[in-house]
């Protein structure tokens, strides 16, 4: 019983950390990487489809992405979708190839992105703490039903706390590396 609660808590904490990684990848740095366009969707025959399902996205150099649609008629739709996304990017088309230059980040935008990254990290910490609260509640319910002893309860709660501390430290490391990434010029 207790092991099931620990495994469930750990898998949920791991999902919170993975969600943080995904959210931080959406915050763009000055460098080009294809995951920046993950949130862009394109109208493809009446359905909204992620950009990476209708085109190849490659990194041309440190500051330029190259988007090559699989169908020629998708070029204007993709270009419009990138422009209307809230990423602040201005693509330029050359035949079948759409180039997306990454604008330089100003000090003000860098600070704004760092603030956004810190908010995402705090959301992840709150999610991990909520998992801890749920797990401890399950353990207390087992004690109340006399399925475990008080010693087992304390040991289980300590194990859950160690797990929580580990994942919060991982979240802090992830945030720190993202902040350093954002502050590089």
């Amino acid at each position: 019983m207790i092991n099931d609660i620990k495994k469930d808590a750990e898998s949920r904490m791991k999902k919170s950390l993975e969600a943080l990684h995904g959210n931080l990848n959406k915050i763009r740095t000055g460098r080009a990487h294809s995951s920046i366009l993950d949130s862009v969707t394109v109208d493809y025959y009446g359905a909204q489809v992620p950009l990476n399902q209708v085109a190849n996205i490659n990194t041309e150099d440190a500051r330029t992405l190259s988007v090559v649609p699989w169908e020629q008629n998708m070029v204007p739709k993709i270009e419009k979708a990138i422009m209307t996304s809230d990423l602040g990017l201005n693509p330029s088309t050359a035949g079948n190839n759409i180039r997306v230059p990454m604008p330089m980040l100003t000090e003000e935008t860098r600070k704004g992105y760092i603030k956004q990254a810190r908010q995402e990290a705090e959301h992840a910490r709150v999610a991990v703490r909520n998992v801890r609260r749920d797990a401890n509640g399950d353990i207390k319910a087992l004690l109340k039903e006399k399925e475990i002893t008080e010693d087992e309860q304390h040991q289980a709660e300590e194990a859950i706390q160690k797990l929580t501390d580990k994942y919060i430290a991982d979240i802090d490391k992830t945030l720190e590396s993202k902040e350093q990434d954002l502050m590089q010029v």
Side-chain angles (χ1 to χ4, degrees), residues 153-164:
Q153 175 202 4
H154 291 298
Q155 289 172 350
E157 286 177 349
E158 284 178 21
I160 296 291
Q161 184 59 45
K162 285 180 184 174
L163 210 56
T164 304

Side-chain angles (χ1 to χ4, degrees), residues 5 16-17 20 33 36 43 49 51 55 60 69 77-78 81 100 102 111 117 140 147 156 161-162 164 174 178-180:
I5 293 172
S16 296
L17 186 62
L20 174 66
H33 56 91
I36 291 172
D43 180 43
V49 189
L51 178 60
E60 227 172 71
K77 291 179 182 179
I78 291 173
V100 184
M102 295 290 135
K111 287 179 180 176
K140 285 180 179 151
E147 292 184 27
Q161 184 59 45
K162 285 180 184 174
T164 304
T174 303
K178 185 65 176 185
E179 284 180 352
Q180 287 174 352

Side-chain angles (χ1 to χ4, degrees), residues 18-175:
E18 289 168 2
L20 174 66
H21 284 290
N23 290 338
L24 290 182
N25 279 342
K26 292 177 186 170
I27 299 174
R28 70 179 178 88
T29 58
R31 289 191 302 277
H33 56 91
S34 60
S35 65
I36 291 172
L37 298 176
D38 282 352
S39 62
V40 178
T41 58
V42 181
D43 180 43
Y44 186 67
Y45 297 107
Q48 289 296 319
V49 189
L51 178 60
N52 60 8
Q53 292 183 10
V54 294
N56 281 336
I57 304 170
N58 298 310
T59 307
E60 227 172 71
D61 57 45
R63 296 219 174 269
T64 311
L65 287 175
S66 170
V67 180
V68 182
W70 295 327
E71 298 178 25
Q72 177 69 34
N73 64 334
M74 291 301 295
V75 172
K77 291 179 182 179
I78 291 173
E79 191 173 18
K80 183 180 179 194
I82 293 171
M83 271 194 255
T84 57
S85 70
D86 59 350
L87 298 172
L89 302 173
N90 291 316
S92 63
T93 307
N96 202 22
N97 191 3
I98 302 169
R99 285 195 173 79
V100 184
M102 295 290 135
M104 292 291 290
L105 296 178
T106 64
E107 189 68 25
E108 189 176 311
T109 54
R110 287 178 197 276
K111 287 179 180 176
Y113 285 143
I114 286 175
K115 186 177 179 182
Q116 184 181 351
R118 287 180 179 158
Q119 286 175 340
E120 293 294 344
E122 186 56 34
H123 290 307
R125 285 188 205 103
V126 168
V128 167
R129 290 183 193 122
N130 287 340
V131 171
R132 176 188 62 190
R133 185 195 64 220
D134 293 345
N136 286 342
D138 292 344
I139 291 167
K140 285 180 179 151
L142 288 177
L143 178 68
K144 197 173 190 179
E145 295 168 11
K146 303 215 186 291
E147 292 184 27
I148 61 171
T149 65
E150 284 189 23
D151 287 343
E152 289 173 323
Q153 175 202 4
H154 291 298
Q155 289 172 350
E157 286 177 349
E158 284 178 21
I160 296 291
Q161 184 59 45
K162 285 180 184 174
L163 210 56
T164 304
D165 293 342
K166 174 187 174 280
Y167 277 95
I168 293 216
D170 289 348
I171 289 169
D172 291 341
K173 284 181 200 165
T174 303
L175 174 63

